[in-house]
Structures are given as C-alpha cells and as structure tokens.
Amino acid sequence: MKRIGMLTSGGDCQALNAAMRGVVKTMMNSDEQVEIYGFLEGYRGLIYGNYRMLKSSDFSGILTKGGTILGSSRTPFKTITDPDENGLDKVKAMKQNYYNLNLDCLVILGGNGTHKTANLLRKEGLNVVTLPKTIDNDLYGTDMTFGFQSAVDIATACIDCIHTTAASHGRVFIVEVMGHKVGWLTLNAGMASGADIILIPEIPYDIKKVAEAIENRKKNGSRFTILAVAEGAISKEDAKLSKKEYQKKLKESKYPSISYEVAAQIQELTGEEVRVTVPGHTQRGGSPCPYDRVFASRLGSEAAKLILDGEYGFMVGYKNREIVKVPLEEVAGKLKYVSPDASIVKEAKMLGISFGD
Ligand code: F6P
C-alpha cells in the first residue's frame, strides 16, 4: 500500500490535471494498492490539514481540463519558516499533517518557489517527488516545463491577431508576454508569430536601437512593426541599477508595466502611433495543447514509477529529449535563463529580428 499526498502550488498553468492524472493512473495500473490525498490550494492545504481523499473517478475526464482540480495558491518560500498570524509553525504543521496521514510520499507540482519549499521538506525528512510546471519554462534542471508550450500557443495566437490589425492601420504594436524574469515565452511566441522586435530580460535593450529598427522597417516599405516584449524586459540603463534601485523605479513609474514605457518612448522617438496589448493570464488559461498533454502524462507516469520504486527526493524533468530524475537540491533556488549566446537567439538575429541590443 502506498499513501500519496498531492498538491499544486504557485501560479497555475495548463496540464496540471494531466500530470496528476498521469501519476494516479500509473499507480492504479500497478499491483500496488494506493490511497491519494489531495491537499487543497497548494502548501496552504498541507499546512492547515485541508485535504480530500481522491478516488480514481476524480481523475477521469481531466486530461484536457485547464487549471487544477486541487486549487493553488502562492505560499512564498521567504516566509515559510515564519510563524503564521496565529503563531503556527508552518513547516512543523506540514510535517505533522504528513505524519498524521501516514503518507509514504508527497507529489508536489510547481515552479521555482514551490521547489524551494519542496527541497526544504525533503531536508526535513519527508519523501518528496516533484513535477515541473510553469508557463515561464524557467525551472532549472529541465529543458522543458509543462504549461510552457500551451502558453506559447496562446501568446502566438495573440500576436497573430495583432499582426492583421497592425498591418491594416500601419501601426506599431507591442504585445506584452508573461514569463516573469526570463524570456523563453516571449522568444518562442515572438519567433512563432514573426515579431520584428523581441525584448527579453536576458538581453537589455537600448531604446534608440529599438526606434532605429522600427524606422529601418519603414524605410524598407513596411507599414507596421510588431514587438513582443517580455513583462520582465529591461533597458540597458535600468540593468545597471541595483535591485533595490530598480524596484524603487518600478514602484514610482507612471506606467502600469514596461510595455507602456517602451510605447511612450517609441512614440516620442519615432512619432509613430503605438498600441499595447497585454494578453496577461489568458496565457495560463484554457485547455493544455496536445504537446503538454503528452508531456505532462509522461512526467506523471515516471513520477509514479519513482514512487513505486521507493525513490524519493527527485524532480522528474526532461533533458536532451529524455525523461530524467534530477535531485531536488540541484533544482531548488536556481533559474534557467535564456543565454544571449544561445543558438536560437543567433538564429533569430540572422532572421532579421532585433533584440534592441
Ligand atoms: O509564473 C507564472 C506567471 O504567470 C508569470 O509569468 C507571471 O509573472 C506571474 O505568474 C503572475 O503571477 P500572478 O498570477 O500571481 O499574478
């Protein structure tokens, strides 16, 4: 008999349900008896003992369903060891609930912050297996996270739509793409949709170069320009500021996000009419794309295999086209950035895409 606790933590994404289904179906198809406890709303459920015992029917029909049947929440790692407002020791409470239910293992689906806490629980002696979710694809130790390809599809579709209206009106359009501190989503959606300029956090931009790229297009007969701008994009000037100084600048800025600042600067430098579109959380919503359904199912299945074999303390990841197990201590606390020297960046530049650098 294996008693498994499961939770989804942090920002949701597509294919969380597909991944959980993959774990449970594989466990239930094995010779092992299995009991599944679903903790509700991420680590919050584990802290406050808020869980539901799940049956195989709970996992039926969810392969194509977005969101998470368990709900999610953000429980910041930086305050995880602080007592809650009633003085409760959160780490102790999580351990207590694990032991009270006599669990063999926790299956934790999450991104960066989630993995820091998962690693802490591992260090505290709990058996943990994790699965890499996030539309940002910024998790260290895996080439791909589930949710990413679905988000690329949505951001690409958004830029495709903008393309036609931009062409009709001869305007400059900025589409702001999610991705937190990294540019994977913007780079891939930008290339997939034929964006002319791509701004990502890893390659700080010079606004004059951005304006120059727009003017060059105009000189060459193009009536419109599309920019895919990462929500975390940063100018060369701002990249020189300390973290504290930059945060102060953002706080005091009159613009709701970086795209609006870039738009105002382009307008001033080129005289062009600029519009901003922010698809926002639509990028995390809806049904997972076929790639993510297959990918998340495979990861889930391999996670179940680890549990059946009694192997704990790993994230199930994807490296060089193989599903691999990565020790949690190698994953926690690190981000996977786009390298400015990556071949995809070089190829994008050879295609004529400007990064404003
Ligand atoms: O990490 C996923 C993500 O969607 C990021 O791309 C984005 O910066 C952030 O979450 C938004 O967070 P929230 O849903 O808390 O607004």
Side-chain angles (χ1 to χ4, degrees):
M1 161 73 83
K2 292 273 186 193
R3 294 162 71 93
I4 309 299
M6 197 148 62
L7 64 90
T8 55
S9 174
D12 74 340
C13 70
Q14 303 88 344
L16 279 163
N17 290 326
M20 290 191 277
R21 172 183 173 272
V23 176
V24 173
K25 270 197 161 255
T26 306
M27 301 281 306
M28 287 184 172
N29 272 327
S30 74
D31 297 331
E32 192 80 58
Q33 289 289 309
V34 58
E35 271 180 10
I36 311 284
Y37 296 84
F39 291 100
L40 308 181
E41 295 175 11
Y43 286 117
R44 212 181 274 166
L46 183 59
I47 295 168
Y48 298 106
N50 195 7
Y51 63 86
R52 220 159 39 89
M53 205 173 158
L54 300 169
K55 305 180 294 296
S56 64
S57 58
D58 289 305
F59 296 91
S60 173
I62 65 167
L63 174 64
T64 60
K65 218 173 147 191
T68 156
I69 58 166
L70 297 180
S72 193
S73 66
R74 293 198 187 274
T75 312
F77 175 73
K78 61 179 175 204
T79 55
I80 200 74
T81 50
D82 298 347
D84 78 354
E85 58 278 15
N86 298 316
L88 180 80
D89 181 329
K90 290 177 275 192
V91 177
K92 206 166 152 193
M94 287 194 277
K95 287 168 67 178
Q96 203 55 57
N97 284 317
Y98 177 97
Y99 292 122
N100 286 348
L101 287 170
N102 202 13
L103 296 179
D104 291 292
C105 177
L106 279 173
V107 178
I108 298 177
L109 293 82
N112 276 298
T114 302
H115 274 80
K116 291 188 214 166
T117 301
N119 190 41
L120 172 78
L121 294 176
R122 176 195 66 81
K123 287 199 270 187
E124 290 286 326
L126 306 192
N127 293 331
V128 178
V129 169
T130 68
L131 289 166
K133 71 91 230 206
T134 165
I135 64 164
D136 303 337
N137 195 32
D138 60 350
L139 203 53
Y140 195 85
T142 182
D143 293 343
M144 184 76 73
T145 56
F146 59 83
F148 174 66
Q149 293 292 348
S150 303
V152 169
D153 282 3
I154 295 170
T156 301
C158 173
I159 304 173
D160 286 348
C161 290
I162 290 301
H163 237 114
T164 59
T165 174
S168 307
H169 287 266
R171 284 172 172 161
V172 173
F173 257 97
I174 295 179
V175 178
E176 183 173 288
V177 181
M178 273 190 171
H180 201 216
K181 293 178 183 161
V182 306
W184 294 107
L185 190 49
T186 311
L187 178 59
N188 282 270
M191 281 183 81
S193 57
D196 309 296
I197 299 171
I198 295 177
L199 304 184
I200 59 173
E202 295 90 339
I203 307 179
Y205 61 86
D206 174 346
I207 196 66
K208 292 205 183 93
K209 292 267 170 64
V210 174
E212 216 175 276
I214 294 169
E215 273 163 352
N216 283 341
R217 272 181 60 77
K218 213 172 167 191
K219 269 186 223 147
N220 294 332
S222 301
R223 291 182 60 241
F224 69 94
T225 296
I226 306 280
L227 290 89
V229 174
E231 62 179 354
I234 187 164
S235 68
K236 282 185 194 285
E237 256 178 345
D238 287 348
K240 286 185 199 137
L241 299 176
S242 69
K243 200 174 159 190
K244 215 170 159 192
E245 286 167 334
Y246 184 55
Q247 249 142 29
K248 185 169 180 276
K249 189 209 144 165
L250 289 181
K251 219 171 157 195
E252 289 167 1
S253 169
K254 60 179 174 183
Y255 303 108
S257 66
I258 189 67
S259 296
Y260 291 90
E261 180 178 330
V262 172
Q265 290 170 325
I266 292 174
Q267 213 147 330
E268 197 183 313
L269 289 169
T270 65
E272 291 294 316
E273 196 177 2
V274 189
R275 294 281 191 276
V276 177
T277 295
V278 183
H281 289 76
T282 63
Q283 293 162 96
R284 268 177 23 196
S287 188
C289 67
Y291 180 96
D292 272 338
R293 294 178 199 181
V294 175
F295 182 48
S297 300
R298 290 183 64 194
L299 293 176
S301 187
E302 295 290 344
K305 186 166 181 300
L306 286 184
I307 299 165
L308 290 167
D309 293 345
E311 284 198 78
Y312 305 116
F314 294 101
M315 174 184 82
V316 183
Y318 191 62
K319 277 267 175 201
N320 305 318
R321 295 173 183 266
E322 298 285 344
I323 308 269
V324 292
K325 52 178 191 185
V326 190
L328 276 178
E329 63 266 37
E330 280 179 26
V331 177
K334 295 182 213 148
L335 279 186
K336 183 183 72 203
Y337 292 99
V338 175
S339 162
D341 300 321
S343 62
I344 186 171
V345 174
K346 287 183 186 147
E347 287 137 14
K349 287 184 175 175
M350 290 193 287
L351 287 164
I353 297 170
S354 165
F355 286 77
D357 58 338

